[in-house]
Amino acid sequence: VRSRESGKAIKAPEDAEADMAHRHDFESTISHLYGLQSRGAALQASSANRKATVEVMRQYAERAGTDFGGLKILHIAGTKGKGSCCALLEALLRAHFGLKTGFFSSPHLVTPTERIRVNGKPLSEALFSKYYWEVAGRLAGAAEARRRAGHEDGLAETPPFFRML
């Protein structure tokens, strides 16, 4: 895996499916994640074509082995009250309907783990690191398999910051 900004190799685990919490601490995970941040030109290019942005995200999710097909998703947008609205809906869905919930918000104030909750509980730093490196390993493996098969498509091995998050 390479840093988008510096191009330097960043060590990723050999076995993406293994429990990686012991190989990568939270600080190294966050360092790698922040190395994926795009700068101005890349942000302008991605915002110019939203339809292509959704397709690229779908391709990354597919390469990571993620299937969103069975999920029911609420997307809350606007300028004020999104966090409160999401917190209320999340609590209602769990308490009154017995549903399992996942929560992602943006931006974070201190650490990316603030953005993510599963069934009302924040994702721990250890689980964040574990899942982050599992996904990074799957993406690296998929990119390598595509290279060996001669299927170059122009997608970077690791997506930029917000897609990876």
Side-chain angles (χ1 to χ4, degrees):
V1 179
R2 295 195 175 278
S3 166
R4 182 173 298 283
E5 296 303 315
S6 69
K8 293 180 183 173
I10 299 171
K11 291 186 180 179
E14 267 46 60
D15 182 5
E17 302 300 320
D19 180 1
M20 293 174 227
H22 68 280
R23 292 187 184 182
H24 294 280
D25 63 11
F26 184 67
E27 287 76 25
S28 69
T29 302
I30 294 303
S31 176
H32 184 268
L33 176 64
Y34 284 143
L36 301 174
Q37 287 183 330
S38 297
R39 300 296 180 238
L43 292 174
Q44 287 176 342
S46 72
S47 66
N49 188 348
R50 292 286 178 209
K51 208 172 224 184
T53 299
V54 171
E55 176 57 22
V56 167
M57 188 63 212
R58 187 199 61 73
Q59 290 174 347
Y60 278 121
E62 183 180 291
R63 289 179 185 185
T66 305
D67 179 15
F68 295 112
L71 295 178
K72 293 180 171 74
I73 298 172
L74 294 173
H75 181 144
I76 311 296
T79 56
K80 301 233 186 260
K82 294 179 295 297
S84 301
C85 182
C86 288
L88 176 66
L89 286 171
E90 180 187 31
L92 285 170
L93 292 170
R94 282 192 339 271
H96 295 288
F97 298 98
L99 297 175
K100 294 179 180 180
T101 60
F103 179 95
F104 176 83
S105 66
S106 180
H108 63 274
L109 298 175
V110 178
T111 177
T113 56
E114 297 170 23
R115 298 172 178 248
I116 305 165
R117 290 196 304 254
V118 178
N119 292 324
K121 296 183 177 124
L123 192 63
S124 71
E125 291 178 355
L127 283 177
F128 180 89
S129 295
K130 176 184 185 279
Y131 297 142
Y132 180 91
W133 290 109
E134 280 183 20
V135 170
R138 289 178 186 174
L139 290 171
E144 181 60 30
R146 292 183 68 74
R147 273 192 295 275
R148 276 188 261 135
H151 295 118
E152 294 293 330
D153 57 13
L155 279 185
E157 180 177 301
T158 306
F161 180 85
F162 285 108
R163 289 184 184 147
M164 187 63 178
L165 188 57

